[in-house]
Amino acid sequence: MNDKVFIFDLDGVIVDTAKYHYLAWRNLANELGFEFTEEQNEQLKGVSRVRSLEILLSIGKIELSEPKKQELLKEKNEEYLEYVDKMTSDEILPGITNLLNFLEESNIKFALGSASKNAPLILKKVGLFEKFTAIVDGNDVSKAKPDPEVFIIAAKKLNKKSQECIVIEDALAGIQAANTAGMTSVAIGDEKILHEADFILADTNKLTIDFVKKLIE
Ligand code: BG6
Ligand code: MG
């Protein structure tokens, strides 16, 4: 019997919300008077909402008061939630539903390990909330990725040691968090950015049952 379990990141792994985060941050940057490219957006992937704003403001070389920052965080999230509100199961990334069904049928447990405070809402929107044995999100942690806290809590909830956990991530911060936790890291995305991962797949289509079977052997 295999002892492995899976911990999935949400944004960019289960659903393609990374594009909505980007649109909302880009609009905010434009409003503040500067451009914000997709390449720069890589720095925001996987990191908390508050940290994302700090990075964005440093890119724009802008300093703001704490109340103004709070206002912008609220504004960004409200715009983001307008996109989320329209989401359906159509936005689950290719291969994911298949994979989760396979894990369920094989009695391999899986948890969510996401920086997003909107994670439960998004999982409900796309109809996956009930599938996860545990959900650890931005509301449960005090330290954001690349700190391993989110994955360590998830492993505890699954009753597993770090070495038994396989993390699927699309962000460099998340890969670093998984590696620091001593877990197997599987990256989804660009090899140039994610080369620290144990395995790198170009997109979720490559997360095949065959690949997963080899991983857990
Ligand atoms: C991560 C995303 O999953 O969640 C980040 O990759 C995002 O881009 C972070 O900033 C926090 O999300 P939210 O939904 O709480 O603003
Ligand atoms: Mg992600």
Side-chain angles (χ1 to χ4, degrees), residues 9-12 18 21 25 41 44-50 52 76-77 80 114-119 122 138 145 170-171:
D9 174 47
L10 176 70
D11 298 314
H21 279 296
W25 286 125
N41 184 57
L44 270 50
K45 283 190 181 171
V47 302
S48 70
R49 197 182 308 165
V50 171
S52 294
K76 185 269 170 180
N77 196 49
Y80 178 64
S114 167
S116 172
K117 294 188 170 176
N118 297 307
I122 293 169
K145 299 171 190 175
D170 72 319

